[in-house]
mmCIF file of all heavy atoms in Angstrom:
data_model
loop_
_atom_site.group_PDB
_atom_site.id
_atom_site.type_symbol
_atom_site.label_atom_id
_atom_site.label_comp_id
_atom_site.label_asym_id
_atom_site.label_seq_id
_atom_site.Cartn_x
_atom_site.Cartn_y
_atom_site.Cartn_z
ATOM 1 N N ILE X 20 -3.619 22.182 -16.297
ATOM 2 C CA ILE X 20 -3.020 22.364 -17.625
ATOM 3 C C ILE X 20 -4.025 21.984 -18.707
ATOM 4 O O ILE X 20 -4.213 22.725 -19.680
ATOM 5 C CB ILE X 20 -1.727 21.542 -17.758
ATOM 6 C CG1 ILE X 20 -0.641 22.146 -16.868
ATOM 7 C CG2 ILE X 20 -1.264 21.466 -19.211
ATOM 8 C CD1 ILE X 20 0.566 21.233 -16.663
ATOM 9 N N LEU X 21 -4.685 20.850 -18.531
ATOM 10 C CA LEU X 21 -5.679 20.413 -19.518
ATOM 11 C C LEU X 21 -6.870 21.364 -19.580
ATOM 12 O O LEU X 21 -7.401 21.646 -20.659
ATOM 13 C CB LEU X 21 -6.150 18.992 -19.205
ATOM 14 C CG LEU X 21 -5.092 17.909 -19.401
ATOM 15 C CD1 LEU X 21 -5.593 16.577 -18.852
ATOM 16 C CD2 LEU X 21 -4.705 17.791 -20.858
ATOM 17 N N ARG X 22 -7.276 21.898 -18.443
ATOM 18 C CA ARG X 22 -8.386 22.853 -18.401
ATOM 19 C C ARG X 22 -8.021 24.105 -19.203
ATOM 20 O O ARG X 22 -8.824 24.611 -19.988
ATOM 21 C CB ARG X 22 -8.712 23.214 -16.954
ATOM 22 C CG ARG X 22 -9.969 24.060 -16.799
ATOM 23 C CD ARG X 22 -10.128 24.595 -15.376
ATOM 24 N NE ARG X 22 -9.093 25.549 -15.030
ATOM 25 C CZ ARG X 22 -9.062 26.814 -15.472
ATOM 26 N NH1 ARG X 22 -9.998 27.269 -16.259
ATOM 27 N NH2 ARG X 22 -8.088 27.621 -15.109
ATOM 28 N N GLN X 23 -6.799 24.578 -19.028
ATOM 29 C CA GLN X 23 -6.347 25.760 -19.759
ATOM 30 C C GLN X 23 -6.247 25.478 -21.261
ATOM 31 O O GLN X 23 -6.608 26.331 -22.085
ATOM 32 C CB GLN X 23 -5.004 26.244 -19.217
ATOM 33 C CG GLN X 23 -5.118 26.839 -17.837
ATOM 34 C CD GLN X 23 -3.776 27.221 -17.247
ATOM 35 O OE1 GLN X 23 -2.758 27.264 -17.934
ATOM 36 N NE2 GLN X 23 -3.752 27.489 -15.959
ATOM 37 N N GLU X 24 -5.776 24.287 -21.616
ATOM 38 C CA GLU X 24 -5.700 23.915 -23.030
ATOM 39 C C GLU X 24 -7.092 23.834 -23.657
ATOM 40 O O GLU X 24 -7.295 24.271 -24.789
ATOM 41 C CB GLU X 24 -4.961 22.595 -23.208
ATOM 42 C CG GLU X 24 -3.482 22.692 -22.930
ATOM 43 C CD GLU X 24 -2.762 21.362 -22.990
ATOM 44 O OE1 GLU X 24 -3.410 20.310 -23.217
ATOM 45 O OE2 GLU X 24 -1.534 21.363 -22.815
ATOM 46 N N LEU X 25 -8.047 23.280 -22.922
ATOM 47 C CA LEU X 25 -9.411 23.196 -23.428
ATOM 48 C C LEU X 25 -10.004 24.588 -23.593
ATOM 49 O O LEU X 25 -10.658 24.879 -24.594
ATOM 50 C CB LEU X 25 -10.289 22.344 -22.507
ATOM 51 C CG LEU X 25 -11.753 22.213 -22.912
ATOM 52 C CD1 LEU X 25 -11.888 21.627 -24.324
ATOM 53 C CD2 LEU X 25 -12.497 21.348 -21.909
ATOM 54 N N ALA X 26 -9.769 25.467 -22.639
ATOM 55 C CA ALA X 26 -10.277 26.832 -22.743
ATOM 56 C C ALA X 26 -9.693 27.520 -23.976
ATOM 57 O O ALA X 26 -10.417 28.208 -24.710
ATOM 58 C CB ALA X 26 -9.946 27.620 -21.475
ATOM 59 N N ALA X 27 -8.400 27.330 -24.224
ATOM 60 C CA ALA X 27 -7.775 27.920 -25.411
ATOM 61 C C ALA X 27 -8.392 27.353 -26.684
ATOM 62 O O ALA X 27 -8.635 28.083 -27.653
ATOM 63 C CB ALA X 27 -6.270 27.678 -25.385
ATOM 64 N N ALA X 28 -8.680 26.057 -26.694
ATOM 65 C CA ALA X 28 -9.299 25.427 -27.865
ATOM 66 C C ALA X 28 -10.718 25.958 -28.083
ATOM 67 O O ALA X 28 -11.134 26.181 -29.225
ATOM 68 C CB ALA X 28 -9.314 23.911 -27.696
ATOM 69 N N ILE X 29 -11.452 26.187 -27.000
ATOM 70 C CA ILE X 29 -12.801 26.744 -27.104
ATOM 71 C C ILE X 29 -12.734 28.153 -27.681
ATOM 72 O O ILE X 29 -13.514 28.518 -28.566
ATOM 73 C CB ILE X 29 -13.513 26.725 -25.738
ATOM 74 C CG1 ILE X 29 -13.879 25.281 -25.364
ATOM 75 C CG2 ILE X 29 -14.743 27.633 -25.732
ATOM 76 C CD1 ILE X 29 -14.361 25.113 -23.942
ATOM 77 N N ARG X 30 -11.787 28.946 -27.193
ATOM 78 C CA ARG X 30 -11.640 30.314 -27.710
ATOM 79 C C ARG X 30 -11.258 30.300 -29.187
ATOM 80 O O ARG X 30 -11.751 31.106 -29.973
ATOM 81 C CB ARG X 30 -10.611 31.069 -26.879
ATOM 82 C CG ARG X 30 -11.106 31.355 -25.484
ATOM 83 C CD ARG X 30 -10.089 32.139 -24.664
ATOM 84 N NE ARG X 30 -10.510 32.149 -23.284
ATOM 85 C CZ ARG X 30 -9.846 31.577 -22.285
ATOM 86 N NH1 ARG X 30 -8.687 30.995 -22.494
ATOM 87 N NH2 ARG X 30 -10.321 31.619 -21.057
ATOM 88 N N GLN X 31 -10.384 29.380 -29.567
ATOM 89 C CA GLN X 31 -9.981 29.287 -30.960
ATOM 90 C C GLN X 31 -11.156 28.855 -31.832
ATOM 91 O O GLN X 31 -11.358 29.392 -32.924
ATOM 92 C CB GLN X 31 -8.816 28.314 -31.133
ATOM 93 C CG GLN X 31 -8.287 28.253 -32.560
ATOM 94 C CD GLN X 31 -7.794 29.601 -33.060
ATOM 95 O OE1 GLN X 31 -6.986 30.246 -32.403
ATOM 96 N NE2 GLN X 31 -8.283 30.036 -34.205
#
Side-chain angles (χ1 to χ4, degrees):
I20 290 166
L21 292 171
R22 188 190 67 76
Q23 290 175 13
E24 289 175 358
L25 178 58
I29 288 170
R30 291 181 191 115
Q31 184 59 52

